[in-house]
Amino acid sequence: MLGQVAVGNSAASPSGSRFFRYEVVGLHQSGETDKTDYSIRSSASQFIIVPYSRMNQEMQRLTRLGAKIVSIQPLTSEVGQP
């Protein structure tokens, strides 16, 4: 799920269209991350985009993997705004 956006049918609710970007450090290769089909770099920050409805689950998953969330920022879709 790293670097991917999960989009569901929750866009009809006010919170369903809100996404947040987590900046994560300390994510490293482990038994849990070996289940993925890509390797994990531990040398730099990584950014993960998460829908509002999955924020708590993603925080728990990152904690289990030994990562530290450095910042959480909302993503806005203000297209055409000066």
Side-chain angles (χ1 to χ4, degrees):
M1 169 114 193
L2 294 176
Q4 297 179 357
V5 177
V7 178
N9 198 11
S10 61
S13 70
S15 63
S17 61
R18 293 181 7 197
F19 287 88
F20 293 83
R21 182 176 63 199
Y22 291 3
E23 181 178 359
V24 179
V25 295
L27 195 57
H28 57 327
Q29 200 71 32
S30 67
E32 183 71 22
T33 57
D34 282 340
K35 297 175 187 175
T36 62
D37 57 351
Y38 48 86
S39 61
I40 303 294
R41 295 180 320 181
S42 62
S43 61
S45 294
Q46 295 181 341
F47 295 91
I48 302 170
I49 298 174
V50 182
Y52 176 79
S53 62
R54 293 193 37 89
M55 287 181 72
N56 192 27
Q57 291 172 316
E58 190 65 18
M59 284 185 205
Q60 292 173 354
R61 185 183 76 85
L62 291 168
T63 301
R64 281 195 311 268
L65 294 175
K68 180 179 179 183
I69 299 172
V70 177
S71 70
I72 300 174
Q73 297 180 348
L75 295 179
T76 59
S77 60
E78 297 177 7
V79 178
Q81 297 291 329

